[in-house]
Amino acid sequence: MRHRGGYSAAWAAALIALTGCTRVSDRSRFEGPQEQLEILLSAPAPGERGVDPEIRIDLCLSGRIDPRSLDEIDATVSSGGAITDSEFSVQLVPWLSPGEDRPPDDRRAPWCGGSVLSIEPKASLLPGAQFRLRLFPSAVGWAGEELSTDGPQWVTDEGADEPRYVVEFTVDPTPSLEPFPEDDPTPPVTLRDLFTDGRVFDPSTDTCRCHRDPDDLALARLDLRDPAVATVGLLGSAQPRDTGFAMVAPRDPSQSFLVQKLLRDDHEQGQGEALYGVLGDPMPPDEPLRYADLLPILQWIADGAEP
């Protein structure tokens, strides 16, 4: 289990040279974990019936999760003694609807206040069968928080040394026989799209004005005056930033420093300080970026971060 506490002042100072898109703050960002993470709800819900055989299981957490802790997660989806091969992923800030591969219809706020841990079977689940998700408590929060094992879904099997988070559900016995729809013809979001009218990087808006002001240090760190120059700043280097992640990790918004820089530690109210380990103030510095403006950035990265 990874813990990211214990930062030294010298180490923090050395990282200033790696900082991008930041205003230096005199507030300490290295207090360490203060509380535990909790799993607040799941989709599907415990005991749910008629579940889509193409389901993705989403677990809503009370806070941010470190995407790198996926290496330590041990979870299984099984029916009887047969275990289904599955993939794990993290939505640092939820940008997909529960169990689906599209953004939410209501773009005013995410459906989960913290991060979402997703477990997606690689093959369709057997219609009518009962399945069980079992998750070991090895996920780690953004600031090193451990996962609480209190609650009715945490079960300790006979002979086990620690509890597992258990969700049982039953797949729809009569799934639709209609052919799968063709791939979504919607083209991927490009960086150029984010500069169009009303989008987050639109030069006519005030959202990123510090990154267009010749007198502001932010412009030297990340130039957002036009998409061609911005491509170099966002995608031109794999150099790790404050948190150890590249500025943009194509197809993985959670491992992109750009996204981490746009978030705040008070995930419920959105008015807190920069995430743990991020030097300087969060961006934008005056007020949080609206969820509706953050979604296109997440979509752009998830689509492959095309220029």
Side-chain angles (χ1 to χ4, degrees):
M1 184 179 299
R2 290 190 181 88
H3 291 273
R4 297 170 56 200
Y7 291 89
S8 68
W11 184 89
L15 275 179
I16 292 177
L18 299 179
T19 306
C21 186
T22 186
R23 292 180 178 179
V24 176
S25 171
D26 58 2
R27 292 176 295 187
S28 173
R29 298 300 309 131
F30 308 104
E31 297 86 352
Q34 301 296 318
E35 56 186 30
Q36 289 185 310
L37 280 180
E38 297 180 21
I39 298 177
L40 302 180
L41 54 90
S42 68
E48 186 171 336
R49 306 182 67 85
V51 171
D52 189 329
E54 304 294 327
I55 189 65
R56 184 188 70 234
I57 305 165
D58 286 336
L59 303 178
C60 171
L61 283 81
S62 60
R64 308 289 185 201
I65 189 172
D66 185 342
R68 291 169 293 193
S69 70
L70 277 176
D71 295 338
E72 307 296 334
I73 289 175
D74 190 349
T76 59
V77 178
S78 61
S79 179
I83 296 178
T84 301
D85 194 15
S86 303
E87 295 181 339
F88 304 98
S89 61
V90 165
Q91 297 174 57
L92 187 60
V93 54
W95 67 278
L96 297 174
S97 298
E100 300 184 17
D101 294 321
R102 61 175 180 79
D105 294 329
D106 185 346
R107 296 172 176 243
R108 292 173 297 178
W111 68 274
C112 172
S115 293
V116 173
L117 173 61
S118 298
I119 303 95
E120 185 169 10
K122 293 183 178 180
S124 298
L125 300 182
L126 183 66
Q130 185 180 64
F131 284 83
R132 171 180 287 192
L133 165 72
R134 298 160 65 90
L135 173 72
F136 286 71
S138 49
V140 178
W142 181 261
E145 304 96 327
E146 295 183 350
L147 187 59
S148 171
T149 56
D150 293 332
Q153 297 308 125
W154 289 98
V155 178
T156 303
D157 293 333
E158 183 177 355
D161 57 357
E162 61 181 346
R164 278 71 162 166
Y165 187 83
V166 176
V167 176
E168 293 183 341
F169 58 90
T170 303
V171 176
D172 189 346
T174 56
S176 174
L177 297 179
E178 296 180 3
F180 288 109
E182 297 182 1
D183 292 339
D184 188 349
T186 304
V189 175
T190 67
L191 181 58
R192 188 171 298 276
D193 292 332
L194 301 185
F195 281 80
T196 57
D197 293 345
R199 293 294 186 97
V200 62
F201 295 153
D202 179 359
S204 67
T205 68
D206 290 334
T207 304
C208 299
R209 64 183 182 278
C210 62
H211 292 280
R212 297 189 296 268
D213 184 352
D215 297 324
D216 199 310
L217 178 61
L219 177 66
R221 298 190 181 280
L222 179 62
D223 191 332
L224 293 179
R225 288 178 292 186
D226 67 72
V229 176
T231 298
V232 177
L234 292 171
L235 300 169
S237 173
Q239 180 185 33
R241 307 293 166 149
D242 306 353
T243 56
F245 296 92
M247 177 68 84
V248 172
R251 303 198 180 281
D252 198 337
S254 295
Q255 300 211 36
S256 299
F257 178 72
L258 173 64
V259 174
Q260 298 160 7
K261 186 67 177 175
L262 293 171
L263 302 180
R264 283 160 162 75
D265 58 6
D266 187 350
H267 51 87
E268 293 183 352
Q269 301 299 324
Q271 300 292 334
E273 298 178 343
L275 292 186
Y276 182 81
V278 175
L279 298 180
D281 294 324
M283 292 288 123
D286 299 329
E287 59 183 13
L289 187 66
R290 294 187 311 143
Y291 182 62
D293 290 329
L294 180 60
L295 275 178
I297 297 177
L298 298 167
Q299 184 71 59
W300 166 61
I301 298 174
D303 284 347
E306 295 293 328

